[in-house]
Amino acid sequence: METKDLKNLVRAVTEEDKHNLPTFSYSKLDIKKKCPFKYDLRYNQKNFSSKGSIATDVGTLIHWCLEQKALAKLENVPVSYEDIAMCVRTGVDSVSEKGKNKRIYGTEEIAMLYPEDYYTPDKVTGRTYAEKIDTFLQEVLPERMEEVNGWAVWGAEVPFEFVYNEKCILHGFIDRIDVSLNEQKEPIVRITDYKTSKKVFDEKLIKTPMQMVVYDLACLFMFGQLPVSHVYDFVLLDEQQSEKDGVCTFGYFNRGLRQLDALLEGTNRNEETKEPVVYEPKPSPLCFYCDFCKNNPNGEA
């Protein structure tokens, strides 16, 4: 598809759309793809977990740090690394996207909530969360958003909401969007998504990443163009994956749209045929970590 045709895939959301169209985030679509049974339990039967996890709390804290640096860059003011480091230790009170007060736990609180997880080296990197967060503050944070290749931060935690192909509303946040100029002095876009996982993605996961496809559609809606670059930044490992590593290989966008349409077709089938949708489980070794697994000591089953 040419860009002018792709633009027809996205449009602004109306009040009528909010009443008539299903709404999805990337994470919701990802759960549906990985395990329809979990999707049904969480989103149809409304079994949301009330328990936190060290991965979620550390991820929220690290994303907040990176957002603070991006905001300083956007405001053209010095980055206060000492203030950020202090907040990392003691935590910070923030406001959620819904306008509600929320607590972002600092490392002192995280260590008290999950002492074993915080101080025990993981089996993949051989390092503790304490060590990885220290590396992030000392080595990673000062280096990010300091590129000299013409890229400048355009936005951080950028919200988006649009109608996709008259099928659903897609919404969410993009960790960071950078803008530069091509050889013709025209603006081009790059997406960066932060990850706090223990290892980089396997090759099979980055050839057609649904997350980037959704973010591409958001950029198409906001900028009228697709990004020219996609970066997964593993900020606790100080490693990045981009096109040179196989992120978004040739034809990824059209493949991703087909996958997206297939997921949405499965969602709407009950409305079209009046038959109930069967949400089959997809067993895997990751089931142990699921909130609904009876063998998961931290689950709620």
Side-chain angles (χ1 to χ4, degrees):
M1 266 188 218
E2 296 184 4
T3 302
K4 62 180 181 180
D5 298 319
L6 287 174
K7 290 179 182 179
N8 294 327
L9 291 174
V10 294
R11 65 168 175 82
V13 177
T14 67
E15 285 300 318
E16 184 178 359
D17 294 328
K18 295 178 182 179
H19 294 289
N20 296 327
L21 292 176
T23 300
F24 292 94
S25 62
Y26 157 70
S27 59
K28 187 174 178 180
L29 288 169
D30 189 51
I31 289 175
K32 187 175 189 298
K33 179 181 178 181
K34 291 179 178 177
C35 184
F37 181 64
K38 180 178 179 179
Y39 171 88
D40 182 46
L41 288 172
R42 176 171 293 182
Y43 294 107
N44 293 336
Q45 301 185 36
K46 309 300 182 183
N47 292 313
F48 294 102
S49 174
S50 60
K51 292 186 177 181
S53 70
I54 188 170
T56 298
D57 288 338
V58 168
T60 299
L61 179 63
I62 296 299
H63 276 72
W64 179 86
C65 294
L66 290 158
E67 183 182 10
Q68 301 317 298
K69 179 166 184 177
L71 292 175
K73 289 289 183 180
L74 288 168
E75 296 171 4
N76 197 29
V77 298
V79 181
S80 180
Y81 292 108
E82 291 184 0
D83 288 347
I84 292 176
M86 175 64 72
C87 290
V88 166
R89 184 172 65 83
T90 62
V92 62
D93 292 317
S94 183
V95 179
S96 72
E97 60 270 16
K98 295 182 180 180
K100 296 181 179 180
N101 294 329
K102 69 174 183 178
R103 177 68 180 169
I104 297 176
Y105 293 133
T107 53
E108 291 177 348
E109 294 162 297
I110 292 173
M112 291 179 63
L113 288 168
Y114 319 99
E116 184 174 356
D117 292 329
Y118 189 73
Y119 292 110
T120 302
D122 68 66
K123 296 180 181 179
V124 178
T125 67
R127 304 174 66 209
T128 66
Y129 270 112
E131 292 171 328
K132 287 186 282 189
I133 291 173
D134 185 61
T135 297
F136 166 76
L137 289 174
Q138 299 299 322
E139 300 178 18
V140 177
L141 186 62
E143 295 178 357
R144 297 308 189 259
M145 293 168 265
E146 300 292 339
E147 293 90 345
V148 294
N149 296 323
W151 291 103
V153 178
W154 181 88
E157 295 297 321
V158 180
F160 63 84
E161 181 184 61
F162 59 90
V163 172
Y164 165 66
N165 206 17
E166 304 303 324
K167 295 181 177 182
C168 71
I169 297 171
L170 292 176
H171 73 112
F173 293 83
I174 299 175
D175 287 343
R176 196 177 89 227
I177 296 178
D178 300 331
V179 172
S180 184
L181 298 177
N182 62 16
E183 294 180 355
Q184 290 73 41
K185 304 300 180 181
E186 299 167 331
I188 53 176
V189 177
R190 176 176 69 184
I191 291 175
T192 296
D193 187 73
Y194 302 125
K195 299 297 182 186
T196 53
S197 48
K198 299 174 185 177
K199 63 178 182 178
V200 300
F201 287 139
D202 293 335
E203 182 181 358
K204 64 181 180 180
L205 297 177
I206 59 176
K207 291 181 177 179
T208 312
M210 181 61 67
Q211 183 176 25
M212 290 302 187
V213 172
V214 171
Y215 291 172
D216 280 8
L217 288 167
C219 287
L220 186 65
F221 176 67
M222 290 187 285
F223 299 97
Q225 63 174 282
L226 297 174
V228 301
S229 180
H230 307 80
V231 179
Y232 283 117
D233 192 351
F234 297 83
V235 291
L236 293 184
L237 306 176
D238 197 9
E239 295 187 49
Q240 298 182 346
Q241 287 180 312
S242 61
E243 285 74 20
K244 62 183 179 63
D245 304 297
V247 176
C248 298
T249 56
F250 181 77
Y252 79 94
F253 189 68
N254 288 331
R255 294 195 302 271
L257 290 182
R258 289 195 293 271
Q259 291 181 18
L260 177 57
D261 288 339
L263 283 171
L264 296 175
E265 179 184 357
T267 300
N268 297 327
R269 188 173 299 142
N270 61 335
E271 298 177 4
E272 298 169 359
T273 65
K274 306 303 180 184
E275 296 179 1
V277 174
V278 177
Y279 294 94
E280 296 286 352
K282 289 185 178 180
S284 80
L286 296 177
C287 288
F288 174 79
Y289 302 99
C290 177
D291 293 336
F292 306 109
C293 177
K294 294 181 179 180
N295 296 324
N296 180 358
N298 297 315
E300 298 199 359

